[in-house]
Amino acid sequence: MAKSGYTRPPPTAEDAAALPAPSAVLYVANCGPAVGLTHDDVAAAFGAFGEVEAVSAADDSGARVIVRFREPAAAGAAMAALHGRPCARLAGRVLHMRYSVPAPPKAPVAVSAPPVALSSSELGIPGVHLVQEFVTAAEEQELLAAVDSRPWKRLAKRRVQHYGYEFLYETRNVDSKQFLGELPSFVSKILDKIVTFPGVKNCTGKLVDQLTVNEYPCGVGLSPHIDTHSAFEEMIFSLSLAGPCIMEFRQYPKGSWRAPSVVNGTDEGSIQDPQCIRKSVFLPPRSMLLMSGEGRYAWHHYIPHHKIDDVAGQVIKRNSRRVSFTLRKVRMGLCECEYGQFCDSQSK
């Protein structure tokens, strides 16, 4: 059968105009390093139509690229001029192009916050005890004045002070051989009172020997974590001063001592899992929280990064600062708790 000799003409500008509405991004085939054209060559050629923000590989072929303009109009002009035609500035290669329209972002799945308990009995986590007004307003001011008269160490979003032993954030542990000295005298009243705290177990030695003071600006919280088992003994006390917050406790469906946010960079998928258990409690100023037993060893605790909190339908604004005193006893050996799944001494 004889050939007709007819050759389809290249698309015209009118053809290009009939294509879908332009985005600022073009997918361009038949150019790239595999055919002797660098990304700089491509950027220079397409720069004749408008500002090119970037040229990148479209895949591993080396012969297809993505050209990103600053303005969609520039991409439209390049499409009208070059699609299906030889490009003199690119070694006469015939370019095959289409608009690259990014998929719309997925709407985030709303995850409702758990109801906020006002007492440890309402919270219902074994080993977690809360006492409100553990110190008086006058004692609160004395404690704040004491730490403000001492030097702070600045972290990324908050300031800290360490006494007894320094907490090492890189390893989430302490160097038990580096003793900084006895706890300061300004916490002596607290040490006397926590002996009679609900849930405190008999202790033959010192109940606590390490203090970390944290200052949180408004809106700054704390990532989900379990205090490292090998670093500290069972009882952890946290005194809230100057401002309120919500503390959320979480048990993840694939629980370990590492939070999903530490392993994967986010734990959003985990908290959407119906098997993830979440409970919250309100910590008003001057309240003391004790985490022990299951609540200390097997639940991640977390302070949301909020400027306001919804507590039983009431909007509570956080203060310009919240200061916490965290009192712990440094562990001098391996942890042998019954919560091996969450224990860094027993699982790696």
Side-chain angles (χ1 to χ4, degrees), residues 8-316:
R8 181 184 178 185
T12 65
E14 289 75 15
D15 295 329
L19 293 172
S23 75
V25 184
L26 294 176
Y27 170 91
V28 184
N30 200 28
C31 76
V35 294
L37 301 171
T38 68
H39 288 179
D40 287 342
D41 294 334
V42 177
F46 280 83
F49 304 97
E51 183 178 352
V52 175
E53 290 188 334
V55 176
S56 58
D59 52 33
D60 295 332
S61 69
R64 291 180 281 270
V65 298
I66 299 293
V67 179
R68 183 182 300 275
F69 287 94
R70 178 173 292 276
E71 299 293 339
M79 173 69 84
L82 298 179
H83 175 56
R85 293 179 171 86
C87 178
R89 299 191 65 177
L90 294 175
R93 303 196 70 83
V94 177
L95 305 181
H96 305 284
M97 302 159 57
R98 67 171 184 260
Y99 295 110
S100 180
V101 181
K106 294 182 179 179
V109 178
V111 180
S112 60
V116 179
L118 300 178
S119 66
S120 49
S121 59
E122 185 182 353
L123 179 69
I125 297 177
V128 177
H129 302 271
L130 176 67
V131 172
Q132 299 190 22
E133 298 298 332
F134 184 77
V135 296
T136 66
E139 289 170 334
E140 175 185 38
Q141 294 306 312
E142 291 172 3
L143 291 168
L144 292 171
V147 295
D148 283 336
S149 67
R150 298 181 176 225
W152 291 91
K153 179 179 181 180
R154 185 171 295 280
L155 303 182
K157 295 183 179 180
R158 64 184 193 272
R159 300 191 301 174
V160 299
Q161 296 178 18
H162 299 289
Y163 300 94
Y165 298 86
E166 182 175 5
F167 184 72
L168 305 174
Y169 294 94
E170 298 81 6
T171 60
R172 301 202 62 80
N173 215 312
V174 295
D175 184 349
S176 59
K177 297 179 182 178
Q178 295 294 321
F179 182 56
L180 303 179
E182 299 296 330
L183 297 185
S185 59
F186 61 77
V187 295
S188 57
K189 290 183 180 180
I190 297 175
L191 301 182
D192 292 340
K193 291 180 71 173
I194 61 174
V195 176
T196 60
F197 199 90
V200 167
K201 300 178 181 179
N202 293 330
C203 184
T204 56
K206 291 181 180 179
L207 196 60
V208 296
D209 59 9
Q210 194 272 339
L211 165 65
T212 294
V213 182
N214 281 283
E215 180 193 58
Y216 300 91
C218 182
V220 174
L222 195 61
S223 299
H225 70 283
I226 295 175
D227 283 44
T228 312
H229 289 204
S230 63
F232 302 108
E233 297 281 357
E234 178 181 349
M235 290 180 285
I236 298 175
F237 298 87
S238 180
L239 177 66
S240 295
L241 301 174
C245 76
I246 286 174
M247 180 171 285
E248 182 176 313
F249 290 83
R250 296 177 176 179
Q251 274 197 335
Y252 296 101
K254 296 181 180 179
S256 76
W257 64 279
R258 295 181 177 91
S261 57
V262 175
V263 179
N264 304 319
T266 178
D267 61 356
E268 287 304 308
S270 296
I271 64 173
Q272 292 169 10
D273 191 315
Q275 294 183 350
C276 178
I277 303 173
R278 302 167 63 207
K279 298 185 176 186
S280 290
V281 65
F282 179 59
L283 304 181
R286 300 182 294 281
S287 65
M288 176 73 89
L289 182 77
L290 167 63
M291 293 179 287
S292 63
E294 179 185 325
R296 177 268 188 268
Y297 284 133
W299 289 75
H300 289 79
H301 59 278
Y302 158 65
I303 298 176
H305 301 266
H306 294 168
K307 292 187 176 182
I308 59 172
D309 292 308
D310 184 347
V311 180
Q314 181 180 359
V315 175
I316 296 181

